[in-house]
Amino acid sequence: MIDGRNKGARYMVDVCRLLSHWVCGTVEDAQAYELAFRPRSTALMPIDGHWETKGDLVVRPDLVFPLCVECKKHEAGDLDGLFDAPKWPVWAWWEQTKAQAATIHLPPALIFCRNRRENRVLLTRATAQCLEILPHPGPVVDIRRSNGEELTLCLLDNLLGLPSSNLQRLVKSRKSLRKGWAGRVRVG
């Protein structure tokens, strides 16, 4: 049996590897200590510079990544449930992601998957529209929750298939970004 904590940690490293490759062009098989994104709780914490916390991840200090990312790996099959099911586990994770994002004033992004399934990402519809997420290679589903919240669910590959320069558009659109970020934004 695989320890859930170790499985989650490995999943976060995998997500860090994918994001580092997308944003910085890091070689996909790079060592964990070479990545631009790292899990927040890691023995590989960098010595130099102040890495910024973005939810479950920390980001290299010379990058501004305009999303607060939470990562969840789930074994059970209930991730295939209905979007409107109030007990769908993703909704509890989404609330956690939003709370974390509110503390750092960034849009939330929940990256999750079930064992042996594709990675998915849940974003606010406004964030997805700003990034111009397209329905390729997988479907993009707009969801309106009973509380009026408008969200977009897609495969992580849809996000990673975008030019990383689309992140710049999101940085510019965020009025809540701290002063000084605009001068040190480097994406891609």
Side-chain angles (χ1 to χ4, degrees), residues 66-69 90-91 94-95 97-99 101-102 105-112 120-134 140-145 147-154 159 162 170 173-174:
L67 294 169
C68 175
V69 177
V90 174
W91 296 137
W94 179 247
E95 294 304 319
T97 305
K98 289 190 318 183
H105 309 291
L106 288 176
L110 172 61
I111 298 175
F112 64 97
R120 299 174 185 163
V121 63
L122 186 64
L123 304 160
T124 65
R125 188 171 302 164
T127 299
Q129 287 173 341
C130 186
L131 290 171
E132 296 181 358
I133 293 180
L134 303 172
V140 175
V141 179
D142 287 330
I143 302 166
R144 183 178 180 94
R145 293 188 65 194
N147 64 5
E149 193 173 19
E150 295 184 346
L151 305 171
T152 298
L153 176 69
C154 65
L159 180 64
L162 297 173
L170 186 58
S173 74
R174 297 297 307 158

Side-chain angles (χ1 to χ4, degrees), residues 1-10 75:
M1 177 178 228
I2 296 175
D3 176 23
R5 188 175 299 255
N6 288 334
K7 179 179 67 171
R10 278 194 308 275
E75 191 168 336

Side-chain angles (χ1 to χ4, degrees), residues 1-185:
M1 177 178 228
I2 296 175
D3 176 23
R5 188 175 299 255
N6 288 334
K7 179 179 67 171
R10 278 194 308 275
Y11 182 63
M12 279 195 285
V13 170
D14 290 343
V15 169
C16 289
R17 191 176 307 284
L18 291 168
L19 292 175
S20 293
H21 178 69
W22 177 47
V23 173
C24 302
T26 305
V27 178
E28 287 189 39
D29 62 350
Q31 297 297 316
Y33 62 84
E34 299 173 305
L35 300 175
F37 295 80
R38 297 186 190 162
R40 181 177 52 198
S41 56
T42 180
L44 299 170
M45 288 304 292
I47 296 171
D48 56 333
H50 176 69
W51 287 47
E52 296 200 36
T53 301
K54 307 291 183 178
D56 279 343
L57 311 179
V58 292
V59 179
R60 209 172 61 200
D62 63 322
L63 294 177
V64 172
F65 186 71
L67 294 169
C68 175
V69 177
E70 289 288 327
C71 303
K72 299 292 183 187
K73 178 91 170 182
H74 195 63
E75 191 168 336
D78 54 357
L79 290 184
D80 295 332
L82 300 173
F83 300 135
D84 60 353
K87 294 193 178 204
W88 194 42
V90 174
W91 296 137
W93 301 339
W94 179 247
E95 294 304 319
Q96 176 189 355
T97 305
K98 289 190 318 183
Q100 180 69 27
T103 65
I104 58 176
H105 309 291
L106 288 176
L110 172 61
I111 298 175
F112 64 97
C113 83
R114 185 180 133 195
N115 288 349
R116 296 174 289 284
R117 295 288 176 110
E118 301 94 352
N119 292 311
R120 299 174 185 163
V121 63
L122 186 64
L123 304 160
T124 65
R125 188 171 302 164
T127 299
Q129 287 173 341
C130 186
L131 290 171
E132 296 181 358
I133 293 180
L134 303 172
H136 179 75
V140 175
V141 179
D142 287 330
I143 302 166
R144 183 178 180 94
R145 293 188 65 194
S146 59
N147 64 5
E149 193 173 19
E150 295 184 346
L151 305 171
T152 298
L153 176 69
C154 65
L155 296 179
L156 181 58
D157 287 346
N158 292 67
L159 180 64
L160 301 178
L162 297 173
S164 61
S165 58
N166 284 26
L167 290 170
Q168 187 72 32
R169 187 177 308 117
L170 186 58
V171 169
K172 289 179 181 177
S173 74
R174 297 297 307 158
K175 294 181 180 176
S176 62
L177 290 176
R178 298 182 312 216
K179 282 188 169 183
W181 275 21
R184 63 183 185 92
V185 170

